Amino acid sequence: MTTIPRNQWYVAAYGREISHELFSRTICGESVLFWRTAAGEVTAMSDRCVHRRFPLSQAPTRLVEDQVVCGYHGFTYAADGRCVAVPGQTRVPRTARLRSYPVVEQDSFVWIFIGDPDRADAARIPRAPWLDSPGYTTVSGMEPLAARYELLVDNLLDLSHETYLHGGYIGTPEVASTPIRTEVDEAAGVVTVSRHMDDAECPPFYARSTGLTGRISRWQDIEYTPPCLYTLHSRIAPVGSVPHPDGGDPDAFHVEVVYAITPETEHSTHDFWAVARDFARDDQEVSDFLAEQNRTVVLQDVEALDVLEQVIATEPAGYQELSINIDTGGLAARRMLAALVAAAPAGAGT
């Protein structure tokens, strides 16, 4: 039984990854071929020729202007997936068409709709406007995770693990010791988890990037929109500093940490990450430092979750895990994900 919600938008790639060359990525168990047309539009279609299932991302398949020519038997496809030429005959079979997918390029991401294309409402795509805002500078990347996407959701909604798994980078004792506040907006489909540390140690991640030393005020406000987008609104400021009544916050540094959580298969995940900041925007050394630091943190998560996936795969049936107060956000997310799966059973839209 699938645990991947269908009829949903997922991040397939960063816009910079897709050019006028054939590019393939597996999304929710479906192998998808991406490329940009001469006009710059991203197109997405099944990465399997209708004739003998040859992967169209595999050489010697090639792009000829805005058409894909299969490298096995020469079946040729237009940008909308229609087969426009076949070998040995002039008539193209009516059913010779690749499945095409709705795509939207937004906030530096390429989003793809997996499921029934008639339900692909672009207004439902969650936003991450900081990633291409002129008021922010962003570093980003993607790491493959050999674990189910739900483990990454659990990981990101319980940041107490920063104290133990990411000590020396982003974690300090206060992250684990500070209580959280969890809220669930059923109508909007959003889980929020907040942890405000009024007097905390400044971890190297922020000390090196902001220049703050000593104790700091550190706020972590999570927004998770199941199944795909997670944002951590981080506020770093001198102890005692609070936002002004009018919303201004000149004494603080703001970091938006964004994760796009895209299932590759039932047991593997594309872990897209981005860090956007509103300070030192033109400082390349700060950008390089944050990119290296955050990738290290992501890889620490990847190593832990890859191990956990193997443990879960071999544990006896009926194992009962223990949950406590810090798990309220993750448990709410699990419930919302289960509802999304139930609303669109396996095979919907295929």
Side-chain angles (χ1 to χ4, degrees):
M1 178 179 178
T2 185
T3 61
I4 298 175
R6 312 292 297 185
N7 293 325
Q8 300 292 326
W9 290 97
Y10 291 96
V11 169
Y14 289 104
R16 65 176 182 264
E17 293 185 271
I18 301 177
S19 64
H20 193 61
E21 295 181 3
L22 300 177
F23 171 86
S24 182
R25 182 162 282 159
T26 299
I27 309 292
C28 300
E30 300 184 19
S31 183
V32 183
L33 182 74
F34 299 92
W35 49 282
R36 286 188 188 273
T37 66
E41 298 296 321
V42 176
T43 187
M45 60 187 68
S46 175
D47 188 19
R48 295 288 184 271
C49 181
V50 298
H51 179 229
R52 290 295 182 263
R53 299 186 294 278
F54 190 75
L56 295 171
S57 58
Q58 178 70 44
T61 300
R62 64 193 185 280
L63 271 175
V64 178
E65 296 181 345
D66 276 350
Q67 294 183 340
V68 179
V69 181
C70 178
Y72 192 16
H73 293 103
F75 276 60
T76 302
Y77 301 93
D80 62 0
R82 290 179 303 109
C83 184
V84 295
V86 300
Q89 62 187 62
T90 57
R91 187 184 69 84
V92 177
R94 182 177 55 84
T95 57
R97 172 185 285 271
L98 298 171
R99 180 185 177 188
S100 61
Y101 297 83
V103 291
V104 172
E105 197 163 0
Q106 178 175 283
D107 299 333
S108 81
F109 291 131
V110 173
W111 293 84
I112 186 170
F113 191 81
I114 298 293
D116 181 354
D118 291 336
R119 299 180 62 177
D121 180 3
R124 293 175 50 208
I125 301 175
R127 298 302 305 269
W130 317 277
L131 302 189
D132 59 8
S133 166
Y136 285 79
T137 295
T138 300
V139 295
S140 59
M142 192 276 280
E143 298 298 331
L145 178 64
R148 64 198 70 186
Y149 79 97
E150 301 101 315
L151 294 181
L152 182 56
V153 173
D154 277 350
N155 171 278
L156 294 173
L157 283 167
D158 174 16
L159 293 180
S160 68
H161 78 275
E162 287 184 349
T163 299
Y164 307 99
L165 191 60
H166 306 312
Y169 293 92
I170 196 69
T172 67
E174 296 82 9
V175 182
S177 64
T178 302
I180 62 170
R181 182 179 74 253
T182 300
E183 297 179 3
V184 181
D185 186 333
E186 300 285 355
V190 177
V191 179
T192 61
V193 179
S194 296
R195 176 185 280 105
H196 288 186
M197 297 161 274
D198 295 326
D199 187 351
E201 179 184 333
C202 188
F205 189 90
Y206 291 126
R208 285 276 304 276
S209 60
T210 67
L212 288 175
T213 59
R215 310 290 289 183
I216 60 170
S217 172
R218 181 181 179 188
W219 293 3
Q220 296 177 323
D221 294 302
I222 295 167
E223 287 186 82
Y224 172 56
T225 304
C228 51
L229 195 71
Y230 167 102
T231 301
L232 169 63
H233 308 288
S234 291
R235 178 184 184 272
I236 309 96
V239 171
S241 168
V242 295
H244 294 180
D246 64 0
D249 199 13
D251 298 326
F253 301 85
H254 302 93
V255 177
E256 304 290 343
V257 182
V258 178
Y259 284 85
I261 305 165
T262 301
E264 179 185 40
T265 67
E266 295 283 350
H267 300 283
S268 60
T269 306
H270 303 300
D271 183 356
F272 295 90
W273 59 267
V275 179
R277 68 183 190 276
D278 68 353
F279 58 92
R281 297 198 303 269
D282 298 322
D283 193 323
Q284 188 60 46
E285 288 188 9
V286 172
S287 292
D288 293 342
F289 171 75
L290 290 176
E292 183 272 331
Q293 286 274 300
N294 204 72
R295 182 169 186 266
T296 297
V297 167
V298 170
L299 289 174
Q300 289 173 333
D301 283 337
V302 166
E303 182 177 2
L305 297 179
D306 285 356
V307 169
L308 187 54
E309 175 69 29
Q310 295 305 310
V311 170
I312 293 172
T314 58
E315 71 185 8
Y319 179 83
Q320 295 294 313
E321 65 180 8
L322 174 67
S323 295
I324 57 175
N325 290 343
I326 60 174
D327 300 308
T328 53
L331 293 175
R334 289 183 186 185
R335 178 175 53 78
M336 295 176 79
L337 288 169
L340 292 177
V341 171
T350 60

